[in-house]
Amino acid sequence: MSLLSIVLPAYNEEQNIAHTAEVLSGLLEEQGIAYELVFISDGSRDGTYSEIVKAAECNSRIKGAEFSRNFGKEAGIFAGLELATGDAVIVMDCDLQHPPEVIPQMWKLWQEGAEVVEGIKISRGKESLPHKLSAGLFYKLMSRLIKMDMNASSDYKLLDRKVVDVLLGLPERNTFFRALTFWAGFRTESVQYEVQERQYGESKWSFWSLMKYAITNATSFSTLPLQLVTVMGMISILFSVVLAVQTLVKFLMGTAVEGFTTVILLILIIGGFLMLSLGIIGHYIARIYEEVKGRPKYIISRVTDNVSGNVAGTWKV
Ligand code: UDP
Ligand code: MG
């Protein structure tokens, strides 16, 4: 019988763990699906990990790990994929904003041969206006850069074991799970779902964390900003040719004294372009630097007893 693993990254979610575990195990048992739940506490500062341990003691199908510090949701997802042993793996948020009701649909599509089942959002649920706006801006930016519709896509998806192994084999540290499954390809189906309201607690994303996420992901997934630097350079050169001709003509006509405004404007424009370009290039150098250092994506500090192998204190790049 095939096993379904569900990976749930959790950061300061102590109020959600028990409830989510109960809802999921109830649903999967009712559906007769063999399952395991893999909770990854992302360096939580509340009782998230002890809640996971408690849940694991009650139900041997639940296991979990704790990070040595907060490494971010991406790292949580990848650690979960690493610990998951199922033939198919579903990644979902542990705040139940990704409705568990679509799991049987995903499972059915997988049994019919789908290797990736994307969860497609049909509404973003109730969110505060600033969060909606910043998330909106984030997805616009990302969709443009990556050339995929990011607004509807989410981290809620089912992956076949083959796809999981492909993702785990990628050597890069700066991963963007959502886009990587597009990149990997495979036979893809989708299910639609409506984003639910958060059960307890608050969204862990602030405006700045979203912006940072957008820039990191954009630079790790697209080199378009670098090409932008070339375009800006070309525009500057065009301008300078026009101005050079004008300056020369004026010089030859003996009227070259005026033009301080032009000089000031040129210094400002070129200076601005140069600094912006250096900034963009700097971002890529930072990414290269991080990749070259070869540090792991995450460090696991503790695991529940039912995790096979001694993974605590170790990591996976
Ligand atoms: N999360 C995480 N590490 C972080 C931030 C968030 O593992 O640094 C988890 C969080 O516990 C939740 C999921 O990622 O299960 C989605 O986070 P959240 O609900 O805060 O985001 P939103 O639903 O508002 O996009
Ligand atoms: Mg959420």
Side-chain angles (χ1 to χ4, degrees):
M1 194 173 164
S2 306
L3 177 70
L4 171 66
S5 300
I6 301 193
V7 166
L8 302 124
Y11 177 49
N12 294 345
E13 305 273 11
E14 59 179 0
Q15 293 154 305
N16 285 319
I17 303 292
H19 180 64
T20 302
E22 205 173 295
V23 170
L24 288 178
S25 46
L27 174 90
L28 292 162
E29 266 153 38
E30 180 196 298
Q31 295 282 327
I33 301 174
Y35 69 95
E36 64 169 0
L37 306 182
V38 185
F39 284 96
I40 305 292
S41 169
D42 184 9
S44 304
R45 261 163 285 159
D46 63 0
T48 302
Y49 186 67
S50 48
E51 283 294 321
I52 296 173
V53 172
K54 241 193 271 170
E57 276 162 5
C58 304
N59 182 349
S60 61
R61 291 165 174 277
I62 298 177
K63 58 186 188 180
E66 167 83 297
F67 283 173
S68 59
R69 64 168 168 87
N70 182 250
F71 279 91
K73 187 183 174 187
E74 284 289 316
I77 293 174
F78 274 82
L81 293 179
E82 189 70 46
L83 293 188
T85 56
D87 305 290
V89 180
I90 288 180
V91 174
M92 69 190 287
D93 288 358
C94 76
D95 54 10
L96 289 186
Q97 281 190 286
H98 293 158
E101 299 81 64
V102 303
I103 291 177
Q105 264 171 276
M106 287 181 158
W107 180 249
K108 192 161 166 280
L109 285 167
W110 176 75
Q111 283 182 320
E112 288 165 4
E115 288 155 323
V116 176
V117 184
E118 299 279 347
I120 304 287
K121 286 178 276 195
I122 44 178
S123 85
R124 288 196 57 85
K126 268 200 198 119
E127 287 171 331
S128 69
L129 190 67
H131 189 265
K132 222 174 210 160
L133 286 179
S134 53
L137 186 67
F138 166 73
Y139 288 118
K140 272 234 175 73
L141 204 74
M142 290 306 304
S143 311
R144 274 283 160 78
L145 286 171
I146 303 182
K147 301 187 192 91
M148 297 170 193
D149 183 8
M150 299 308 293
N151 196 26
S153 80
S154 67
D155 287 337
Y156 191 15
K157 31 186 131 220
L158 177 145
L159 307 176
D160 184 80
R161 170 54 46 193
K162 266 183 281 188
V163 187
V164 172
D165 288 342
V166 165
L167 294 188
L168 289 176
L170 295 178
E172 65 208 68
R173 274 95 197 155
N174 280 299
T175 51
F176 186 32
F177 177 67
R178 202 174 294 189
L180 277 176
T181 57
F182 282 98
W183 173 85
F186 290 97
R187 203 180 318 161
T188 305
E189 297 286 341
S190 61
V191 292
Q192 295 195 326
Y193 72 91
E194 212 152 317
V195 179
Q196 306 297 305
E197 266 183 74
R198 214 172 210 288
Q199 283 279 334
Y200 306 100
E202 291 179 336
S203 171
K204 306 291 180 293
W205 297 99
S206 67
F207 176 77
W208 287 115
S209 63
L210 267 177
M211 282 300 124
K212 224 177 102 192
Y213 192 56
I215 292 172
T216 313
N217 290 330
T219 48
S220 65
F221 231 90
S222 158
T223 48
L224 204 70
L226 276 177
Q227 288 151 27
L228 210 71
V229 174
T230 322
V231 173
M232 288 195 297
M234 280 191 218
I235 294 172
S236 306
I237 288 171
L238 262 180
F239 259 115
S240 57
V241 168
V242 174
L243 283 166
V245 171
Q246 192 213 29
T247 313
L248 274 178
V249 169
K250 274 196 173 171
F251 177 75
L252 292 175
M253 285 164 61
T255 53
V257 190
E258 275 176 86
F260 277 113
T261 325
T262 328
V263 172
I264 293 168
L265 283 179
L266 274 180
I267 290 176
L268 287 177
I269 292 169
I270 294 175
F273 273 179
L274 278 179
M275 278 192 257
L276 192 66
S277 312
L278 278 178
I280 293 173
I281 294 167
H283 248 289
Y284 282 91
I285 294 180
R287 290 285 91 71
I288 297 170
Y289 175 59
E290 280 161 20
E291 295 290 333
V292 166
K293 272 194 295 188
R295 293 215 179 127
K297 286 195 197 85
Y298 55 82
I299 301 170
I300 291 175
S301 59
R302 280 173 291 175
V303 287
T304 52
D305 297 336
N306 51 359
V307 173
S308 54
N310 183 20
V311 288
T314 60
W315 57 75
K316 207 47 199 223
V317 288

